[in-house]
Structure formats: structure tokens, C-alpha cells
Amino acid sequence: MRIISLEKGRGQKVYVNLEDSSRFLLYTGDISRYHLEENMELSQELFSRIMEETLYRRARQKALAVLKRADQSESELRRKLKQSEYPEEIIEKTIAYVYSYHYLNDERYAKNYIRYKSDTKSRRQIVNELRQKGVSKEVVDTVLEETAGDDTEAIRRAIRKKTSDVEALEYEQKQKLAAYLYRKGFMEEDIRRELKMR
């Protein structure tokens, strides 16, 4: 496998472009340490060392640092590793690594997300947000089935943010508040019940 070019990136970053059109990212210190040059033949042994000793090690460190700050869905972690420009094979290996230690679990992530957000957001809004975070429909549906409760507390909190006395609102004001709550994802029947609208 031949190195076609060593392309300077931002700061100390260097893209190693290979003849098979693949590429990986190293730093100038890595280039010196591995004695990499343009047009050199990259042996399978050296390529494996770079992947294992440098890229896989850094990807694991990155994944653990991300997960230490906040729980993530698998999709979010994949996206962050891609943004850091790790090769696909390294991303797959890193995802498998964090799963093996139970640092990553979409079901646990969804349960925690629902628990923390259910007092302030509608179930529909939570479902949409989890889907945007890459949690599968099956996991979201399963977790919602296990999680008892409805939107009652969340809708009451949303109303309290807007008014302290629903009874004192004019019909037009109630309609505006109802439209706001509907946009937040609350069901029409729940909105009508809480706003005492007929």
C-alpha cells in the first residue's frame, strides 16, 4: 500500500492519503515517529501498528472522554468520532470496545432521557428528540411502554410558566396558550382538559 501524499491540515494535523483512496489523520509527531514519507510503500505491519497503537488508542480515549462528560446514544458517539476523522474500521472497533464495558447503551440512555425530560416536555417531543439523537424506534417504543405516566405534570408546568391563573384568562388568551402547548407536542385533549376549554 503506497502513501500518495501527506496533506497538511490545521495545526499539527496531517492527512495520510493512500493509493486505495482511503486516508487517516495523524499529527506531525506521528509522521516523524513512523518515518512516513510521500510515495513510500506502507507495509501491512506498519499500517497495523499505526491503526492499533495510535488511531485506535486515541479513538478509545476520545470516546471515553465524551462519555465521561455525558451519556450518549450510539449514533451521537459515532458522529463525534467521524467528526474527529477516525477511519470507519477504527470507529467500529471503538464502538464495540465501549459496548463491551457497558459504557454505551441506547436503552439506558433513552430511560434516563425520558426520566429527566418528562416533567418539562411532552412525550411526543421526547420521542422526536430521541429519534433525532439516533435512538431506534424499537428502543424508544420499548422504553416508553416500560415508563409509566403521561404528560399531566409536564403540561401543568408549561402552563405555570405562562400564567399563574388559568381561570382568569380570556378565551382568546387560552387559544394562544393552547396553540403554544400544541406546538410543544401536547395532545389536544390534554390541553383542553388543563385549560378547562370546551
Side-chain angles (χ1 to χ4, degrees), residues 91-109:
I91 292 173
E92 290 303 322
K93 200 170 175 181
T94 304
I95 294 292
Y97 171 81
V98 292
Y99 264 121
S100 73
Y101 285 95
H102 307 287
Y103 296 143
L104 196 62
N105 182 318
D106 276 4
E107 193 170 314
R108 180 186 66 220
Y109 177 80

Side-chain angles (χ1 to χ4, degrees), residues 12-14 16 24-27 30-31 36 50 54-55:
Q12 300 290 309
K13 294 178 177 181
V14 178
V16 180
F24 54 88
L25 180 64
L26 292 175
Y27 293 96
D30 303 322
I31 301 298
L36 301 181
I50 292 168
T54 302
L55 296 179

Side-chain angles (χ1 to χ4, degrees), residues 122 124 177-188 191:
S122 69
R124 191 183 322 170
L177 182 52
Y180 162 78
L181 294 168
Y182 190 74
R183 286 193 302 274
K184 298 281 280 175
F186 294 108
M187 302 298 284
E188 187 176 353
I191 294 169

Side-chain angles (χ1 to χ4, degrees), residues 4 17-23:
I4 299 296
N17 297 303
L18 304 176
E19 65 184 335
D20 65 357
S21 299
S22 65
R23 70 187 321 207

